[in-house]
Amino acid sequence: MRVPRLAVLRMLRHRFFWPAAFASLVIVTALLWRVWAPATSARHAAAEREAHTGHTADAQPVTKELSADRAAVDALRSEAKDVAQRLMAAFPNTPDAVSVMAMVHHRFGNTAEATKWFNKCLQLDPRYADAYHGMGSMALRKGDYPQAARLLRQAISIDPVPTGPRLQLAEALMGLGEIAEAAAVLREATLRAPGTSQLYYALGDAYDQLG
């Protein structure tokens, strides 16, 4: 019995998409860390010298390094976009592929573009939980706690398994002053993922605020 061509393509996408996407993002993230880490170290070293000597450090070396870093980050941004474009070309009309492009823009701080691509994911699949999670994360970062809570709840209602949306929902609820509800979210999360230490730290913080 012949397997329909479309079924074969779906099986291949399921088997090969995420390894390709994950490997690509790991490479870009590693390169990005190599760019940012030296700049961060330089800033910290300058701050420590200033604290010990009482004199403002010469900003020129750090400024030069940061300028070089910005050029490297721009190059990495272009490379990351290229990786995402190739994934979308290889797996057209697949929300998983489109979400990689959204996450690239999200990681580089371009929230408008990230939102556009997350919405494209939802056009392809209205129940694509990662899109709600991504947009909820951006709302949380901006301090828009009501919007973050709404989007993260939507992500959890579609896919209740991942820990990240629950942890971030608790953070949004705490930002809204809804500490008891945040603690309830975290308690449920610890039951689902009892080995996740971050959940216990966050739950302890919520209990501490509750008194």
Side-chain angles (χ1 to χ4, degrees), residues 141-186:
R141 181 178 294 182
K142 292 192 319 186
D144 187 348
Y145 299 122
Q147 177 77 340
R150 184 185 68 79
L151 290 165
L152 292 166
R153 285 187 193 280
Q154 184 73 15
I156 293 167
S157 71
I158 296 169
D159 185 0
V161 175
T163 299
R166 293 180 187 275
L167 192 59
Q168 291 181 320
L169 173 59
E171 184 179 345
L173 291 170
M174 292 175 77
L176 291 168
E178 300 175 11
I179 311 302
E181 189 173 353
V185 168
L186 291 166

Side-chain angles (χ1 to χ4, degrees), residues 21-186:
F22 181 74
S24 300
L25 289 176
V26 165
I27 291 169
V28 171
T29 302
L31 289 171
L32 186 59
W33 175 251
R34 287 177 60 189
V35 170
W36 279 346
T40 303
S41 298
R43 287 194 296 269
H44 287 171
E48 287 180 4
R49 285 195 299 270
E50 183 177 348
H52 283 92
T53 64
H55 298 293
T56 302
D58 183 6
Q60 188 175 4
V62 177
T63 302
K64 286 182 178 179
E65 187 170 0
L66 291 177
S67 296
D69 290 338
R70 278 192 289 270
V73 168
D74 287 341
L76 284 172
R77 183 186 293 111
S78 177
E79 181 181 346
K81 285 183 188 178
D82 181 62
V83 169
Q85 289 283 7
R86 281 185 276 137
L87 283 170
M88 289 195 296
F91 306 96
N93 297 321
T94 305
D96 289 333
V98 176
S99 72
V100 173
M101 178 64 84
M103 288 305 300
V104 166
H105 286 290
H106 178 22
R107 296 300 183 192
F108 283 97
N110 191 342
T111 58
E113 279 294 306
T115 300
K116 181 184 83 173
W117 288 106
F118 279 132
N119 281 322
K120 175 66 173 175
C121 292
L122 294 175
Q123 290 173 13
L124 295 169
D125 180 1
R127 290 184 55 78
Y128 191 70
D130 286 351
Y132 290 107
H133 181 198
M135 290 190 290
S137 297
M138 292 190 295
L140 183 62
R141 181 178 294 182
K142 292 192 319 186
D144 187 348
Y145 299 122
Q147 177 77 340
R150 184 185 68 79
L151 290 165
L152 292 166
R153 285 187 193 280
Q154 184 73 15
I156 293 167
S157 71
I158 296 169
D159 185 0
V161 175
T163 299
R166 293 180 187 275
L167 192 59
Q168 291 181 320
L169 173 59
E171 184 179 345
L173 291 170
M174 292 175 77
L176 291 168
E178 300 175 11
I179 311 302
E181 189 173 353
V185 168
L186 291 166

Side-chain angles (χ1 to χ4, degrees), residues 167 182-187 190 198-208:
L167 192 59
V185 168
L186 291 166
R187 277 196 302 272
T190 60
Q198 282 181 295
L199 293 172
Y200 293 98
Y201 286 124
L203 183 57
D205 185 38
Y207 282 146
D208 183 58

